[in-house]
Amino acid sequence: MGSSYPADEWTNATQAILSKTGRNLLHHPSHPLAILKDIIFKEFPAFAHYDSLSPVVSTAQNFDSLGFSSDHPGRSKSDTYYINKDTLLRTHTSAHQLQLLVAGTQKDVGLLTQAKNGDKAPGNERFLVAADVYRRDEIDSSHYPVFHQMEGVCTFSRKEIQEMVLKVSADKEATGANGGKSGASSASDSSQTERGGRVAQLMDTTIIGTSNPKQPEHSVSEVDFLAEHMKQSMNRMVIQILTKAMAAKKSSDGQTKGNNVGDAEFPVRWIDAYFPFTSPSWEMEVLYQGEWLEICGCGVMKQGILDAAGKPDRVGWAFGFGLERLAMLLFGIPDIRLFWSNDPRFTEQFLPGQINTFRPISRHPPCTKDVSFWIPSTGEFHENDVMDLVRETAGDLVEGVKLVDSFTHPKTGKTSRCYRINYCSMDRNVTNEEINDIQEKVRDRMVRQLGVALR
């Protein structure tokens, strides 16, 4: 990580997790995550682009600056990797919102020069952040303690919005067009956004009101403008990504005839949501290959963040989403562990700037082992402690860990749990003897570190 930090009673970041901080998957142009990142960067040419910010942030950056309550579950040691009480591995890219806004206000050259495309937004008025984030989580094919997010922030001066709103109104009057509310605040809206023949079929029934309110610091016209600008920006991005993905799928399926990809329609729907650092807030979903895919969470930025950054005269919108989930669907990658693989059968399938369908490599046989134990009657027991211990011991040999049985003894009141650990290498065969040795280490560490009594 490049620096030393004192440990304390909050320290829980394992060596296995810390070793991931230097992998920099987003800096390998032919990696699926980097390909997706670069496509999104190109969709926002007027934004400053950051992809090299340190994963080590303060608890104030990660939580306090965004309005997280002091008792928010995300702050717990069972959910977050702490370096020490005041320092942690970021759990989301939103941790950099205030930092980068302040850098723009104070003209912090050290931070501003880290941006690619920084000359397009020299004061960080608009920026994207792509980065690895860290969360203690379950173990299965779609969850990994390290994943990647994309953050977007776009701000405007209040005067700028007022002038644009007046211009739109004047244009409507001059052309005799009917007025009306934007899709962000209308009770029911279904419209189309086109881009080079590609169409997003929009469905928006969200209402800005008591259940998803505007902030008192904002006018109705400001919120309507921000919501419409944000949604149009997101719609354009999704059309571009999914058009590339559909073209790749048709190519891999050997389709040379049929409907033109450029004429495809992408149903997009917006639903109300809640986030501590935006209001009103929404989630964007897209119907892709028959399933509704959650693309991102977004909303109008809490004005307190901009005020704290020394920008009380500006308002803005922000979005954030995970790259892995989208990349798994677009590239057809079945196991999240593959993103960390160095197997050339995986890495050599991809080229910079191209979305293509992953060709499965040989699946090696799995090996399943169960471990049962009594939970200690004193102290706290968190399932994420089990997940971390197994992953620390077995590394990426572990494909999944699942609770298969739990019961409480009627006489002693003790609780027993049984977890099934599925071992499966992505690039080689493993022997039963090798897995037995790992399983014994898992059992031994459970006793020593978690205080459980094996059954």
Side-chain angles (χ1 to χ4, degrees):
M1 293 185 295
S3 300
S4 297
Y5 302 89
D8 60 22
E9 69 278 7
W10 281 78
T11 303
N12 65 352
T14 65
Q15 189 55 47
I17 294 299
L18 294 174
S19 67
K20 302 292 187 184
T21 60
R23 285 292 301 274
N24 297 322
L25 300 185
L26 295 178
H27 294 170
H28 300 280
S30 59
H31 192 282
L33 296 176
I35 293 170
L36 183 54
K37 175 205 72 173
D38 289 339
I39 290 173
I40 297 170
F41 275 3
K42 288 178 182 177
E43 286 304 298
F44 293 90
F47 285 51
H49 301 157
Y50 291 88
D51 64 2
S52 300
L53 298 175
S54 170
V56 180
V57 299
S58 68
T59 54
Q61 283 178 281
N62 202 78
F63 298 119
D64 300 340
S65 71
L66 297 167
F68 281 78
S69 62
S70 59
D71 60 350
H72 192 281
R75 292 179 181 263
S76 68
K77 291 170 65 177
S78 62
D79 282 17
T80 296
Y81 287 108
Y82 281 89
I83 307 299
N84 53 46
K85 182 179 180 180
D86 300 318
T87 314
L88 52 84
L89 296 175
R90 63 185 163 222
T91 65
H92 49 196
T93 46
S94 301
H96 298 290
Q97 277 192 18
L98 180 59
Q99 176 192 22
L100 292 176
L101 288 167
V102 169
T105 302
Q106 300 181 351
K107 296 181 172 51
D108 183 344
V109 177
L111 266 177
L112 295 176
T113 54
Q114 292 186 41
K116 300 173 181 177
N117 212 43
D119 60 310
K120 303 299 183 182
N124 273 350
E125 303 90 353
R126 301 167 300 278
F127 59 81
L128 297 179
V129 177
D132 47 349
V133 299
Y134 301 75
R135 293 182 195 171
R136 304 186 73 192
D137 209 342
E138 58 191 296
I139 299 177
D140 59 32
S141 62
S142 62
H143 291 85
Y144 203 79
V146 190
F147 57 104
H148 298 76
Q149 285 187 338
M150 177 72 72
E151 186 87 8
V153 167
C154 183
T155 70
F156 300 85
S157 70
R158 292 178 185 270
K159 182 180 179 182
E160 188 179 3
I161 291 180
Q162 185 179 25
E163 291 174 349
M164 285 189 281
V165 169
L166 289 173
K167 183 178 185 303
V168 170
S169 297
D171 290 345
K172 285 182 177 180
E173 288 182 8
T175 58
N178 292 327
K181 295 180 180 179
S182 70
S185 57
S186 65
S188 177
D189 179 56
S190 180
S191 57
Q192 293 185 335
T193 296
E194 296 188 16
R195 182 167 185 176
R198 302 181 294 271
V199 179
Q201 185 68 37
L202 308 179
M203 290 170 281
D204 190 349
T205 59
T206 60
I207 301 173
I208 299 174
T210 54
S211 62
N212 196 16
K214 79 173 187 67
Q215 300 163 56
E217 301 94 332
H218 298 155
S219 69
V220 171
S221 62
E222 287 173 340
V223 174
D224 279 350
F225 173 87
L226 290 170
E228 186 170 7
H229 188 276
M230 177 191 71
K231 291 181 178 183
Q232 288 180 355
S233 299
M234 301 304 296
N235 292 336
R236 286 194 298 268
M237 177 191 74
V238 167
I239 290 171
Q240 179 68 9
I241 293 173
L242 295 187
T243 298
K244 284 179 176 288
M246 288 187 68
K249 179 171 174 53
K250 285 195 172 187
S251 176
S252 68
D253 291 344
Q255 298 182 31
T256 57
K257 297 180 180 180
N259 292 335
N260 188 339
V261 174
D263 296 330
E265 290 189 2
F266 302 113
V268 175
R269 71 182 181 188
W270 293 86
I271 58 176
D272 292 327
Y274 168 79
F275 305 105
F277 36 91
T278 56
S279 186
S281 304
W282 300 275
E283 287 180 350
M284 178 191 196
E285 296 181 341
V286 175
L287 188 63
Y288 181 67
Q289 295 185 4
E291 294 186 9
W292 284 104
L293 166 65
E294 179 187 330
I295 296 293
C296 72
C298 53
V300 176
M301 295 177 65
K302 284 290 183 71
Q303 193 58 38
I305 298 174
L306 289 157
D307 291 348
K311 299 180 183 294
D313 60 330
R314 300 189 75 84
V315 294
W317 54 259
F319 72 80
F321 63 90
L323 293 177
E324 270 85 350
R325 187 159 183 263
L326 186 54
M328 289 175 77
L329 286 160
L330 298 180
F331 289 90
I333 295 171
D335 191 322
I336 197 170
R337 294 178 299 161
L338 283 166
F339 289 117
W340 298 89
S341 175
N342 289 315
D343 188 333
R345 292 175 299 171
F346 174 77
T347 60
E348 292 179 3
Q349 289 193 33
F350 308 102
L351 294 172
Q354 297 183 21
I355 294 178
N356 58 278
T357 303
F358 169 67
R359 301 185 306 277
I361 57 181
S362 299
R363 177 174 170 83
H364 298 278
C367 182
T368 300
K369 301 289 181 180
D370 289 353
V371 56
S372 299
F373 53 80
W374 297 104
I375 293 176
S377 56
T378 59
E380 290 185 298
F381 176 85
H382 295 287
E383 188 170 84
N384 280 346
D385 291 334
V386 175
M387 303 296 171
D388 249 19
L389 185 149
V390 174
R391 204 185 290 276
E392 176 78 5
T393 307
D396 284 346
L397 283 179
V398 61
E399 181 180 48
V401 178
K402 183 179 181 181
L403 178 67
V404 294
D405 185 53
S406 178
F407 77 93
T408 301
H409 195 285
K411 293 184 178 180
T412 65
K414 290 184 177 180
T415 298
S416 170
R417 289 193 179 183
C418 177
Y419 286 90
R420 181 157 296 158
I421 306 174
N422 195 45
Y423 296 97
C424 183
S425 174
M426 295 179 291
D427 53 18
R428 65 183 178 88
N429 283 317
V430 292
T431 65
N432 196 53
E433 290 76 13
E434 180 182 1
I435 297 304
N436 283 339
D437 181 57
I438 293 174
Q439 182 73 359
E440 281 305 309
K441 291 178 181 177
V442 167
R443 290 166 59 87
D444 178 64
R445 291 184 66 178
M446 284 183 170
V447 173
R448 289 186 291 106
Q449 295 177 216
L450 304 184
V452 304
L454 297 174
R455 297 184 60 212

